[in-house]
Amino acid sequence: MDEKYILHKVNTVDEKYIIHTVKNAMQLLQLFTDSSPEWSLTELAKKKSLNISNTKRLIKTLTEYGYLEKDPVSKKYRLGLAIFRLSGVLTTTMEIYKEARPILSKLAEKYDENVHIGILEETNVLYLDKFKSTYSSRLATHAGKRNPAYCTGCGKVLLAFKPEPIQQELLKRINDQGFEQFATKTVKTIEELKSDLDMIVKKGYAVSTDELSDGFTSIAVPILDFTEEVISAISITGRSDKLNLSIHLNDLIKCSERISEKLGYLKRVER
């Protein structure tokens, strides 16, 4: 029998098995509700018509990753801290989206330029929302799109304001992954990127030109929450010959301040 056929069959079986296993794990998690917060191994297996050995393996994995935890007294399982952490991330993300949308919509309408809001997801910027300009832009961005943080305005802002230990770890991972050259001025080395990030911290904003797409510039500023932590970034992006740094930056900062205030950030008054 053809070796390629055998490998294809094995990979297909493995993929189907993995998907089925993930499906079973998700169905187990869905059993945990306000009215039924704790379940025993036997109860879980019986409820989902799974055999005990398979259920035990699933629960062991979910427990190791923090999605379930075992009560030492009742010996039953309940949702773990990993679920609550994910819930917190979702809540924060939705809050950012809700508060920022009407403000950024007006900014995009005023200048007819592309406006983004993004968060950092590992070493990428994830766009929560995008307001498109009416002219053709050829930008590789849209809501839900991920781009490397090192070559975007929002991404660089988010990297720049990370605490030093976290930033160092992120820069190490970016360096290990390598720098893909998207445009003529995409950064090529970790030293170049670190220099850019230091300058962003000093200025309080980022300007990215010909880094993700040739002929386009992105101006980005941070969004802060009540803990004074930078949790997202907003940017206005358009053709380099259309953007005016002083004009667009001024309005972008005003939008940033309004969104940050809605998220609980209190601007300190200098004495």
Side-chain angles (χ1 to χ4, degrees):
M1 187 178 290
D2 186 7
E3 182 180 354
K4 290 183 178 180
Y5 174 78
I6 296 174
L7 289 175
H8 173 72
K9 289 291 287 182
V10 171
N11 289 338
T12 302
V13 171
D14 287 346
E15 183 179 349
K16 288 182 178 178
Y17 172 76
I18 291 170
I19 292 173
H20 186 66
T21 301
V22 172
K23 180 180 177 181
N24 285 338
M26 294 302 101
Q27 289 178 340
L28 287 178
L29 290 175
Q30 289 174 350
L31 292 175
F32 293 85
T33 63
D34 289 340
S35 58
S36 302
E38 291 191 336
W39 294 77
S40 69
L41 171 61
T42 304
E43 290 170 339
L44 288 169
K46 184 178 180 180
K47 184 69 176 179
K48 299 311 297 181
S49 300
L50 298 170
N51 64 56
I52 290 292
S53 60
N54 282 344
T55 306
K56 189 173 183 179
R57 284 196 294 270
L58 288 172
I59 289 177
K60 184 176 184 293
T61 301
L62 290 170
T63 302
E64 286 177 351
Y65 281 89
Y67 293 99
L68 291 178
E69 60 183 28
K70 190 175 185 179
D71 187 281
V73 178
S74 69
K75 305 300 180 183
K76 291 188 174 185
Y77 293 90
R78 60 191 176 214
L79 294 179
L81 291 177
I83 294 291
F84 294 105
R85 283 195 292 269
L86 289 176
S87 174
V89 170
L90 178 60
T91 301
T92 300
T93 300
M94 292 306 295
E95 186 70 13
I96 296 169
Y97 175 87
K98 182 185 74 174
E99 299 295 355
R101 201 163 215 282
I103 296 172
L104 298 184
S105 176
K106 290 180 180 178
L107 180 67
E109 184 179 349
K110 179 178 180 179
Y111 290 111
D112 190 24
E113 298 291 357
N114 300 282
V115 173
H116 304 88
I117 180 164
I119 60 174
L120 197 64
E121 188 179 75
E122 296 183 349
T123 59
N124 298 313
V125 57
L126 167 64
Y127 298 108
L128 300 181
D129 210 349
K130 174 185 178 179
F131 298 89
K132 294 172 63 177
S133 66
T134 56
Y135 65 86
S136 177
S137 65
R138 307 190 320 274
L139 283 175
T141 60
H142 56 75
K145 168 76 173 177
R146 292 169 178 81
N147 279 324
Y150 62 79
C151 61
T152 64
C154 282
K156 283 188 171 183
V157 164
L158 293 166
L159 286 174
F161 289 98
K162 279 294 177 187
E164 187 66 23
I166 298 176
Q167 187 190 86
Q168 288 180 0
E169 175 60 26
L170 289 171
L171 292 181
K172 181 181 182 302
R173 290 167 62 182
I174 289 172
N175 194 46
D176 291 343
Q177 294 164 2
F179 294 88
E180 183 177 348
Q181 296 300 298
F182 293 92
T184 54
K185 293 184 181 178
T186 307
V187 294
K188 297 179 175 63
T189 67
I190 202 67
E191 291 78 16
E192 184 183 353
L193 176 58
K194 187 62 171 70
S195 176
D196 287 350
L197 300 184
D198 290 343
M199 186 59 66
I200 290 168
V201 172
K202 290 179 181 178
K203 291 183 175 180
Y205 64 90
V207 178
S208 175
T209 300
D210 299 336
E211 293 194 59
L212 181 62
S213 299
D214 281 319
F216 287 87
T217 292
S218 176
I219 306 168
V221 295
I223 299 293
L224 296 88
D225 67 2
F226 66 96
T227 67
E228 300 186 11
E229 178 185 354
V230 173
I231 55 172
S232 64
I234 58 175
S235 68
I236 185 165
T237 306
R239 292 199 298 260
S240 299
D241 60 354
K242 286 189 65 182
L243 289 191
N244 183 302
L245 178 60
S246 59
I247 295 174
H248 289 97
L249 177 61
N250 187 52
D251 269 354
L252 199 61
I253 290 173
K254 289 179 181 177
C255 290
S256 167
E257 290 175 345
R258 288 176 61 196
I259 297 169
S260 296
E261 287 172 4
K262 287 181 175 292
L263 295 174
Y265 172 69
L266 297 176
K267 188 175 182 180
R268 293 181 179 179
V269 178
E270 298 294 335
R271 295 183 178 181

